[in-house]
């Protein structure tokens, strides 16, 4: 007789919500060709990320059967949208629970999450999803999840789920690896070989994401310390959530989670060690990256070009809509040449270009960008020539040559350029530019810094504390009391 199969339900629900943006993330944003996805289509959705690692590893085990329950993929707005509507959350959560019940019974559930989703009327959406899944599958079924380290999570999630695995690197190099771990540990738990015990410790530190690069100390040291614990104590897994401060939700800030195999004392010991390490290094953590004003940053870029320290990456880390024109305006004002600006988000302009059938060689004279909200600034008039207009990834990309060999790329949605190869797909020779102005906080380091490509890196933000700023006390929080967090208040830790 064949051994009965281990049946695992697989679900996906992920967003990193900037609640200060004024465009809600709606039901329609999650619906596009390919999304929602179910069955094999869901399992194949993100082959190099958490989902890919989970599916590959789960199928290394004999008799494991995966069922992709209908789930939305990332919304088409990417990370450039605000509050997820209650309708969107309720629609998909409802369909997920119905799907689980329809395909029952399961031995395990895998939740492929992010952790920084913010839903109107649902304070802790990932924990709420876990609670509903727990209610649907009963107390004996194991629930495992993967998370981005930007997740805002407190004790609530592991009250309903059994296991969580978060990435340790920012840029997030280890998504696939965490998916693999989730699969292996979930199957072991189902087989009775792993007894998940855990501790969650909140550490009252809040930080803007641009500072959280794990290529520099002390953020690098935190990850290293977690890796050391995992290396010396078999079956121990450590998550350090750096948190995502641009979601106005009650569980922002840093959180440590430790998972052990039936050893609560060890979980407690490791958790306390990591939490104490964070607290000890808190001051240095907030000084790990230098941020310049825009005019100063552009002037420094010009100096770097004059001094031959090229290519220069000039990153407006704070632009959350993609439409911000502050850097573009300053590049023109200071007369930079041989500069690539990638990208300015402008759905109207790209729609107009599409309608006109814009093509190479056409002249271009339009106001671009700005207006999304005050953080985006005002539009900038660009006169030049269209070098290329192509459709890809569900949007139009228009490359406009202007000024002294400058190139502006317009996009329909917010685009975070992380790798040079993503621009090479447009047929551009990135390596020929002296200055590359992008919208990214840390992810660009995978393609521009970690490999030694950029000789100068300048992170900039506008003078005003707009959304996306490093000065979190300039943000209109309603659900977060900053005085309870270092560096804005003087919290006592451990409490
Ligand atoms: Zn992240």
């Amino acid at each position: 007789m064949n051994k009965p199969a281990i049946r695992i339900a697989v679900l996906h629900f992920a967003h990193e919500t900037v609640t200060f943006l004024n465009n809600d993330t709606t039901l329609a944003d999650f619906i596009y060709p390919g999304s929602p996805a179910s069955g094999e289509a869901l399992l194949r959705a993100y082959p190099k990320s958490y989902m890919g690692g989970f599916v590959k590893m789960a199928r290394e085990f004999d008799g494991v059967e995966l069922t992709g329950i209908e789930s939305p993929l990332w919304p088409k707005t990417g990370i450039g949208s605000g509050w997820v509507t209650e309708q969107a959350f309720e629609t998909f959560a409802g369909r997920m629970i119905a799907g689980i019940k329809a395909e029952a019974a399961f031995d395990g559930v895998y939740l492929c999450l992010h952790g920084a989703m913010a839903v109107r009327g649902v304070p802790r959406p990932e924990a709420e999803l876990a609670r509903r899944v727990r209610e649907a599958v009963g107390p004996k079924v194991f629930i495992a999840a993967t998370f981005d380290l930007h997740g805002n999570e407190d004790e609530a999630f592991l009250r309903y789920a059994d296991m969580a695995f978060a990435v340790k690197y920012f840029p997030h190099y280890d998504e696939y690896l965490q998916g693999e771990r989730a699969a292996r540990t979930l199957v072991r738990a189902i087989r009775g070989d792993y007894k998940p015990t855990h501790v969650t410790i909140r550490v009252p530190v809040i930080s803007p994401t641009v500072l959280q690069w794990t290529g520099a100390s002390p953020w690098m040291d935190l990850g290293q310390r977690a890796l050391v614990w995992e290396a010396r104590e078999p079956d121990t897994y450590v998550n350090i959530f750096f948190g995502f401060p641009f979601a106005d939700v009650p569980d922002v800030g840093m959180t440590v989670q430790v998972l052990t195999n039936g050893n609560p004392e060890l979980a407690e010991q490791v958790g306390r060690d990591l939490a104490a390490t964070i607290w000890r290094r808190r001051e240095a953590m907030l000084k790990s990256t230098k941020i310049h004003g825009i005019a100063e940053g552009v002037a420094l870029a010009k100096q770097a070009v004059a001094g031959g320290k090229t290519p220069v990456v000039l990153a407006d880390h704070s632009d959350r809509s993609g439409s911000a024109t502050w850097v573009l305006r300053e590049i023109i004002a200071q007369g930079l040449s041989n500069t690539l600006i990638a990208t300015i988000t402008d759905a109207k302009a790209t729609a107009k270009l599409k309608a006109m059938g814009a093509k190479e060689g056409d002249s271009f004279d339009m106001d671009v960008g700005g207006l999304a909200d005050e953080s985006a600034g005002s539009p900038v008039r660009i006169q030049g020539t269209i070098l290329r207009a192509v459709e890809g990834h569900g949007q139009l990309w228009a490359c406009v040559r202007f000024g002294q060999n400058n190139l502006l790329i317009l996009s329909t949605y917010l685009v975070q350029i992380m790798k040079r190869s993503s621009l090479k797909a447009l047929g551009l020779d990135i390596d020929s530019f002296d200055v590359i102005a992008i919208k990214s906080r840390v992810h660009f380091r995978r393609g521009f810094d970690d490999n030694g490509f950029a000789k100068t890196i300048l992170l900039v933000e506008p003078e005003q504390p707009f959304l996306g700023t490093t000065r979190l006390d300039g943000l209109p929080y309603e659900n977060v009391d900053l005085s309870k967090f270092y560096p804005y208040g003087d919290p006592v830790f451990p409490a």
Side-chain angles (χ1 to χ4, degrees):
M1 207 178 92
N2 284 337
K3 228 170 48 171
I6 288 179
R7 299 194 69 234
I8 298 174
V10 176
L11 290 82
H12 179 273
F13 207 176
H15 192 229
E16 183 180 271
T17 311
V18 178
T19 60
F20 302 112
L21 284 171
N22 56 22
N23 54 320
D24 279 7
T25 311
T26 65
L27 181 58
D29 289 330
F30 287 99
I31 300 173
Y32 51 90
S35 175
S38 57
E40 278 299 310
L42 177 64
L43 304 181
R44 271 191 242 124
Y46 301 104
K48 287 190 76 179
S49 184
Y50 308 96
M51 184 67 84
F54 182 87
V55 171
K56 182 78 174 76
M57 180 56 77
R59 287 181 166 163
E60 296 278 309
F61 293 93
D62 280 340
V64 169
E65 182 191 305
L66 302 179
T67 304
I69 303 290
E70 189 195 67
S71 303
L73 302 187
W74 273 79
K76 52 190 169 193
T77 51
I79 57 172
S81 56
W83 287 104
V84 175
T85 62
E86 203 166 352
Q87 184 200 22
F89 180 79
E90 290 298 337
T91 300
F92 290 118
R95 285 203 221 169
M96 286 172 179
I97 300 304
I100 288 176
K101 286 180 176 165
E103 306 267 1
F106 290 104
D107 306 287
V109 179
Y110 168 52
L111 301 176
C112 188
L113 306 172
H114 178 287
M117 182 155 70
V119 181
R120 288 192 191 280
V122 184
R124 293 169 177 80
E126 292 85 7
E128 175 59 17
L129 183 64
R131 187 189 69 76
R132 295 187 197 187
V133 169
R134 172 60 72 208
E135 207 173 80
V137 299
K140 288 191 181 130
V141 172
F142 288 97
I143 304 174
T146 49
F147 283 96
D148 189 291
L149 57 72
H150 290 119
N152 292 315
E153 296 300 323
D154 58 11
E155 299 81 359
F157 186 78
L158 287 176
R159 205 171 289 147
Y160 308 109
D162 302 287
M163 293 165 266
F165 301 86
V167 288
K168 287 191 175 58
Y169 302 95
F170 185 21
H172 308 325
Y173 291 119
D174 53 332
E175 295 172 357
Y176 187 92
L177 173 73
Q178 300 305 335
E180 285 186 318
R181 287 179 154 190
R184 193 170 58 239
T185 316
L186 179 58
V187 171
R188 286 182 58 196
I190 293 166
R191 287 178 172 174
D193 183 40
Y194 194 94
K195 188 174 179 293
T197 50
H198 47 74
V199 67
T200 300
I201 302 175
R202 305 258 295 141
V203 187
V205 174
I206 193 165
S207 60
T209 50
V210 66
L211 304 186
Q212 299 168 347
W213 177 40
T214 55
S217 293
W219 298 93
M220 177 192 272
D221 311 336
L222 293 182
Q224 189 56 35
R225 186 134 190 96
L227 288 169
V228 165
W229 275 115
E230 290 182 350
R232 68 190 249 197
E233 297 291 345
D235 287 350
T236 295
Y237 299 103
V238 179
N239 300 327
I240 304 175
F241 287 97
F242 295 175
F244 186 68
F246 304 110
D248 181 13
V249 293
D251 47 0
V252 287
M254 294 189 74
T255 297
V256 174
Q257 282 174 343
V258 182
L259 184 67
T260 60
N261 189 359
N263 190 339
E265 296 79 19
L266 178 63
E268 187 74 29
Q269 182 196 353
V270 177
R272 280 179 194 280
D273 175 75
L274 263 311
T277 305
I278 293 169
W279 191 245
R280 196 166 63 243
R281 306 292 301 276
R282 65 191 184 282
E283 198 181 335
M285 281 160 56
L286 293 167
K287 288 184 181 153
S288 56
T289 299
K290 172 84 184 141
I291 309 293
H292 304 278
I294 301 245
E296 182 198 6
V298 172
L300 288 170
K302 211 172 167 178
Q303 273 176 33
V305 173
K309 297 194 180 84
T310 58
V312 178
V313 169
L314 185 61
D316 178 357
H317 75 86
S318 70
D319 181 11
R320 291 288 173 169
S321 66
S323 306
T325 52
W326 308 98
V327 172
L328 173 63
R329 185 178 296 283
E330 200 60 33
I331 283 170
I332 294 169
Q334 296 197 30
L336 263 64
S337 57
N338 210 27
T339 294
L340 172 70
I341 299 108
T343 69
I344 300 282
T345 302
D346 192 328
K348 251 184 167 161
T350 54
K352 199 168 157 195
L353 290 169
K354 191 177 167 179
M356 285 163 35
K359 57 181 189 314
E360 185 175 346
D362 289 356
S363 65
F364 181 95
D365 186 355
M366 273 170 113
D367 282 340
V368 300
L371 303 179
D373 55 44
E374 61 169 8
S375 74
S378 52
V380 172
R381 185 166 170 196
I382 297 292
Q383 292 171 296
T385 310
I386 292 177
L387 181 71
R388 202 153 287 129
V390 292
E391 291 210 56
H393 301 282
Q395 57 176 311
L396 185 82
W397 305 72
C399 307
V400 181
R401 199 182 282 287
F402 74 99
Q404 293 170 277
N405 199 32
N406 294 327
L407 191 73
L408 167 68
I409 304 180
L410 289 173
S411 60
T412 308
Y413 299 108
L414 165 70
V415 173
Q416 184 178 185
I417 302 293
M418 305 185 207
K419 293 181 289 188
R420 286 141 66 209
S421 58
S422 57
L423 294 174
K424 280 190 172 136
L426 289 173
L428 299 173
D429 181 13
I430 302 313
D431 301 6
S432 69
F433 291 96
D434 287 333
V435 180
I436 303 168
I438 55 172
K439 311 286 179 70
S440 180
R441 290 152 286 285
V442 170
H443 282 299
F444 73 92
R445 294 192 190 263
R446 75 172 67 198
F448 293 92
D449 189 7
D450 291 358
N451 56 7
F453 173 74
K455 299 297 177 285
T456 305
I457 288 176
L458 297 160
L459 285 147
V460 297
E461 72 170 68
E463 307 303 331
Q464 304 88 331
F466 292 132
L467 73 96
T469 180
T470 49
R471 291 156 285 170
L472 302 179
D473 51 351
L475 296 174
Y477 287 108
E478 287 175 11
N479 304 306
V480 177
D481 177 1
L482 280 185
S483 72
K484 296 208 162 75
F485 294 88
Y486 180 83
Y488 298 100
D490 191 18
V492 177
F493 185 82

